[in-house]
Amino acid sequence: MSQVFLNKRKLFTTSAGEASTEVVSEAIRLHIGELKSKYQTNESMYMSDHEILHEKERDPWKPDNRLVINYAKYIVDTFSGYQIGVPVKVTHNEKSVSDFIDNFRKLNDMEDTEFELAKIADIFGHAFLYVYQDENKNTRVTYNSPINMLIVHDTSIAELPLFAVRYAFNESDTTGYGQLITDHEITELTIQAGGTVTFGESTPHIYGRLPVVELIENEERQGIFDSVKTLINALNKAASEKANDVDYFADAYLKIVGVDLDGEDVGDIRETRIFNFWNNGEGPLPDVGFLEKPNADTTQENLITLLKDSIFAISMVANMTEEDFGNASGTALAFKLQAMDNLAKMKDRKMQSAFNRLYEIVFNVPMASVPQDGWKDIKYKFTRNVPRNILEEAQIVAQLSGQVSDATKLSVLSIVDNPEAELEKIEKEEKEKQDSIRNNMLAMDRNTDKDLPESDDENLNGAQDE
């Protein structure tokens, strides 16, 4: 009887109360059989290894171009750069907590980690963050693709995560290895052909909860180009056929009707490129010309244009290469980016939820010098990676003066990454200016006392004696 279920949202669930060898084995078998090939297809498309490259070869005498127009990579990179190309601003009202977060982010290169995490989710539909302790007892975090990691959830309405599996195993291997990760320990796994696992040594961890966080692209866990994969493959085929037609016309067959040519004559024609035929006034005139294939250039161009436009329309990612894109007004540009902005806002919410789970784990580490519930007051600010009008932002800040706090005003400026740190810099600079003014005034007072003329003092003393 099946103990693990996989639904269309790529969600693993189980009603079993624990991660037994049978449950883990079944989860891995489902992952390998149902999902791994789909993930590898998406990865191959992003890496320019498309379906057309693996089609059956044509006869040697036929043109056989295999063109790859990699809109899968273009869509992923464009959307990732737009949505999180500007690093997320992570702030907290308490300075000690804010400093802790800053140190954690620097130690783990979180700006790069977050970008790669978002890109993986764009490709596969979801991605994972894995928290661990390094040899110096520092809390570290890394990203992981769903090709070799999965989370199994319970069957409750909340679909709470029970355990995670990270493994390395291919169908061509006889033995693989992996880790079973639960809310209290990490167990080494040995994986046999077919996905059957054997538990090895277990090591307890310090997090008190599952140290694996899932980021989902959307509730259906669909990659950003999943809906246009067939269109991309069709575009590759159409462009390749067009290239084949170009090769055909460049190497068309010459037909000569009404003249009997031997091999030497054919060689002379090929060498000199001169035709000199006559019929002595008898019979029809010789017919010389090239065999022409019916021209479908207009049809091909229309198909290519249709496929290209459909790819961007259905994926809802803007085509930045359009000629009029850079010349669009602010309102027109906003309309062009509206669909992609809607996708980005949805992705923001999913990322914020994943970050909350991440910092909940990090703040629960015993060595952390912050309250365990301090993560609840963390604020995240996502900024779109589009050209910014700094003058307009500065005008908005000026108009907000006296209505909101200085930190809120500074958060409007795209050039300010950390409003709290910027306020500290302003305060420090102001203090340095005041100290400099005070020191200058003291120096002036000392110089004034030093420069008083002695004659004036003597005259004053003489007047007092009289």
Side-chain angles (χ1 to χ4, degrees):
M1 181 178 177
S2 178
Q3 300 185 69
V4 181
F5 304 92
L6 175 64
N7 63 21
K8 292 184 178 180
R9 294 186 291 124
K10 303 175 185 175
L11 185 77
F12 290 88
T13 58
T14 182
S15 56
E18 61 179 0
S20 64
T21 55
E22 292 79 9
V23 171
V24 175
S25 299
E26 189 171 352
I28 292 176
R29 281 195 292 268
L30 273 175
H31 187 265
I32 294 174
E34 300 293 330
L35 293 180
K36 197 164 186 177
S37 61
K38 297 179 182 178
Y39 291 140
Q40 289 170 339
T41 298
N42 282 26
E43 183 181 46
S44 295
M45 289 193 71
Y46 181 80
M47 300 291 288
S48 298
D49 184 13
H50 287 207
E51 184 179 281
I52 194 169
L53 300 178
H54 303 280
E55 290 185 353
K56 183 180 178 181
E57 292 187 2
R58 297 188 175 190
D59 295 329
W61 49 271
K62 289 184 178 181
D64 190 15
N65 290 286
R66 309 289 182 94
L67 303 185
V68 172
I69 303 175
N70 198 352
Y71 275 126
K73 178 177 174 60
Y74 181 89
I75 290 170
V76 169
D77 291 352
T78 299
F79 181 71
S80 298
Y82 174 78
Q83 189 258 334
I84 200 173
V86 178
V88 183
K89 295 180 182 178
V90 183
T91 59
H92 197 281
N93 292 331
E94 294 186 21
K95 186 178 184 304
S96 60
V97 178
S98 181
D99 291 342
F100 175 83
I101 293 173
D102 288 343
N103 292 332
F104 172 78
R105 291 180 63 80
K106 289 178 182 177
L107 177 65
N108 288 282
D109 296 322
M110 286 303 294
E111 292 183 2
D112 178 67
T113 297
E114 288 163 356
F115 187 88
E116 292 300 321
L117 180 76
K119 188 175 76 174
I120 292 172
D122 289 339
I123 297 172
F124 302 108
H126 58 144
F128 300 100
L129 283 171
Y130 184 21
V131 183
Y132 65 98
Q133 300 298 122
D134 66 12
E135 60 276 7
N136 297 319
K137 298 183 180 180
N138 295 315
T139 303
R140 306 300 298 270
V141 60
T142 188
Y143 49 85
N144 210 106
S145 84
I147 287 181
N148 63 340
M149 180 173 269
L150 61 100
I151 291 181
V152 178
H153 303 252
D154 65 19
T155 55
S156 68
I157 189 65
E159 295 177 337
L160 299 175
L162 290 176
F163 63 88
V165 176
R166 177 174 175 268
Y167 71 97
F169 179 80
N170 297 314
E171 293 181 357
S172 58
D173 297 335
T174 56
T175 304
Y177 63 91
Q179 292 177 321
L180 168 65
I181 308 160
T182 66
D183 58 0
H184 59 280
E185 65 181 5
I186 299 173
T187 303
E188 300 299 322
L189 301 177
T190 301
I191 307 171
Q192 305 298 329
T196 303
V197 303
T198 303
F199 287 178
E201 182 181 355
S202 296
T203 305
H205 61 68
I206 61 176
Y207 305 108
R209 63 200 68 220
L210 185 67
V212 179
V213 177
E214 182 184 22
L215 166 66
I216 60 176
E217 183 80 6
N218 45 61
E219 195 63 27
E220 297 73 30
R221 292 174 176 81
Q222 281 192 319
I224 197 167
F225 62 84
D226 273 355
S227 58
V228 295
K229 285 196 291 188
T230 57
L231 295 177
I232 295 172
N233 288 329
L235 179 61
N236 291 337
K237 184 176 181 180
S240 298
E241 289 297 337
K242 188 172 181 62
N244 290 340
D245 286 349
V246 171
D247 287 349
Y248 173 86
F249 286 112
D251 194 22
Y253 288 95
L254 177 68
K255 66 179 179 68
I256 300 175
V257 180
V259 179
D260 185 15
L261 299 176
D262 57 22
E264 183 177 351
D265 293 331
V266 172
D268 290 340
I269 292 172
R270 183 185 297 116
E271 183 70 25
T272 63
R273 304 191 180 207
I274 297 175
F275 301 97
N276 184 19
F277 302 136
W278 64 94
N279 64 353
N280 296 322
E282 298 178 0
L285 292 174
D287 179 16
V288 179
F290 284 97
L291 289 175
E292 294 186 8
K293 184 179 179 182
N295 189 345
D297 186 68
T298 302
T299 303
Q300 290 171 334
E301 286 294 336
N302 290 339
L303 176 59
I304 289 173
T305 300
L306 173 64
L307 291 172
K308 180 180 175 182
D309 292 343
S310 299
I311 285 171
F312 289 107
I314 296 175
S315 67
M316 294 191 289
V317 174
N319 181 8
M320 301 291 188
T321 61
E322 290 181 358
E323 292 182 3
D324 61 339
F325 205 92
N327 299 323
S329 64
T331 303
L333 184 62
F335 276 110
K336 285 178 175 290
L337 296 174
Q338 182 65 47
M340 187 161 66
D341 192 56
N342 292 338
L343 282 181
K345 287 177 180 176
M346 179 175 64
K347 182 76 171 289
D348 291 347
R349 298 185 184 101
K350 302 303 183 184
M351 293 195 74
Q352 181 170 327
S353 177
F355 291 161
N356 281 336
R357 302 289 76 76
L358 169 65
Y359 287 107
E360 184 179 7
I361 295 170
V362 172
F363 279 42
N364 199 53
V365 173
M367 293 83 76
S369 57
V370 289
Q372 288 187 358
D373 61 349
W375 62 271
K376 295 179 180 179
D377 296 320
I378 296 178
K379 298 179 179 63
Y380 310 95
K381 180 176 175 55
F382 296 85
T383 305
R384 299 290 165 256
N385 188 17
V386 294
R388 296 287 174 178
N389 189 335
I390 305 299
L391 176 60
E392 182 180 358
E393 292 177 349
Q395 292 172 343
I396 294 174
V397 170
Q399 293 174 359
L400 291 175
S401 182
Q403 302 182 42
V404 297
S405 66
D406 290 340
T408 302
K409 288 191 296 184
L410 289 176
S411 66
V412 175
L413 296 173
S414 58
I415 59 176
V416 177
D417 292 329
N418 189 330
E420 298 295 337
E422 193 67 24
L423 286 174
E424 292 179 3
K425 291 180 182 178
I426 294 174
E427 184 179 353
K428 181 180 179 181
E429 289 179 357
E430 187 64 27
K431 185 177 182 302
E432 290 175 352
K433 289 179 182 178
Q434 294 296 333
D435 291 342
S436 177
I437 294 173
R438 188 180 299 107
N439 292 334
N440 289 337
M441 292 181 66
L442 291 173
M444 291 175 62
D445 290 342
R446 286 195 295 269
N447 291 336
T448 301
D449 294 341
K450 187 184 298 182
D451 294 341
L452 283 175
E454 295 182 2
S455 57
D456 291 345
D457 293 341
E458 293 174 355
N459 293 336
L460 180 60
N461 292 334
Q464 289 177 351
D465 293 340
E466 293 178 359

